């Protein structure tokens, strides 16, 4: 049980790392840095490109957070599922033990009733036999 869960957790961690590493912070392939023609003279499009890069960085950050939250939620769901399975197994074991204890108690109760019935029969025999014997002696 725990080894399977541990293997699942390590696979998930590897998947998480791989997914988050694929969202690295390199934007060079998306928006290349603008090249200035003159000495430090900013071009009119440079500010828009910088703004777009910032927006992309924010979106990437948000996506990373969302992915982490989804993966954490998945881990929590698996934990709940594992606990549910464990509780189900414990409930089945409890049910079996409860039936066994119920049967044992019923059997002990029946033995006690049989013993009381046997004692009552023996006492009745002890009382009735002498009466019958004395009655037969009187009739002879």
């Amino acid at each position: 049980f725990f080894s399977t869960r541990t293997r699942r957790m390590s696979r998930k961690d590897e998947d998480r790392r791989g997914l988050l590493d694929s969202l690295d912070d390199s934007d060079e392939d998306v928006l290349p840095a603008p090249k200035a023609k003159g000495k430090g003279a900013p071009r009119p499009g440079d500010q828009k490109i910088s703004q777009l890069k910032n927006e992309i960085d924010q979106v990437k950050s948000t996506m990373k957070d969302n992915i982490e939250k989804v993966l954490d939620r998945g881990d929590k769901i698996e934990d709940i599922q594992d606990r549910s399975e464990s509780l189900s197994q414990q409930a089945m074991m409890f049910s079996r033990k409860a039936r066994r204890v119920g049967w044992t108690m019923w059997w002990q109760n029946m033995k006690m009733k049989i013993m009381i019935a046997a004692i009552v029969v023996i006492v009745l025999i002890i009382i009735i036999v002498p009466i019958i014997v004395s009655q037969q002696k009187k009739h002879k």
Side-chain angles (χ1 to χ4, degrees):
F1 172 71
F2 289 111
S3 62
T4 305
R5 184 172 177 212
T6 305
R7 275 187 258 139
R8 255 190 283 155
M9 294 295 283
S10 63
R11 285 186 201 141
K12 287 207 175 254
D13 289 340
E14 289 173 11
D15 292 343
R16 176 183 285 174
R17 273 189 240 115
L19 189 58
L20 292 175
D21 288 343
S22 68
L23 296 173
D24 61 357
D25 292 327
S26 63
D27 293 330
E28 289 79 29
D29 56 338
V30 177
L31 292 173
K35 303 202 185 212
K37 290 185 179 178
K39 281 187 171 181
R43 295 187 331 189
D46 290 349
Q47 189 175 13
K48 286 183 180 180
I49 290 175
S50 295
Q51 187 178 11
L52 283 174
K53 280 188 176 186
N54 288 337
E55 288 178 20
I56 290 173
D57 288 341
Q58 289 175 353
V59 168
K60 284 172 98 175
S61 175
T62 303
M63 290 301 294
K64 282 182 182 181
D65 292 342
N66 289 342
I67 290 171
E68 285 183 21
K69 287 177 184 177
V70 167
L71 292 173
D72 288 340
R73 189 179 316 143
D75 290 343
K76 289 177 184 176
I77 288 172
E78 284 184 4
D79 289 343
I80 291 171
Q81 186 177 12
D82 290 343
R83 290 178 185 171
S84 171
E85 289 172 3
S86 175
L87 283 174
S88 176
Q89 290 174 353
Q90 290 175 0
M92 286 176 29
M93 288 174 52
F94 177 79
S95 177
R96 287 181 196 145
K97 288 181 180 181
R99 271 188 256 132
R100 191 177 310 141
V101 167
W103 174 254
T104 302
M105 295 306 292
W106 178 85
W107 185 239
Q108 285 180 347
N109 192 20
M110 288 305 289
K111 283 194 238 179
M112 187 62 73
K113 287 180 181 179
I114 291 170
M115 287 174 38
I116 290 173
I119 291 172
V120 168
V121 168
I122 291 171
V123 168
L124 286 176
I125 290 174
I126 290 174
I127 293 174
I128 295 176
V129 168
I131 294 174
I132 293 176
V133 170
S134 69
Q135 289 293 331
Q136 285 180 350
K137 285 185 181 179
K138 283 185 187 178
H139 285 334
K140 284 189 183 184

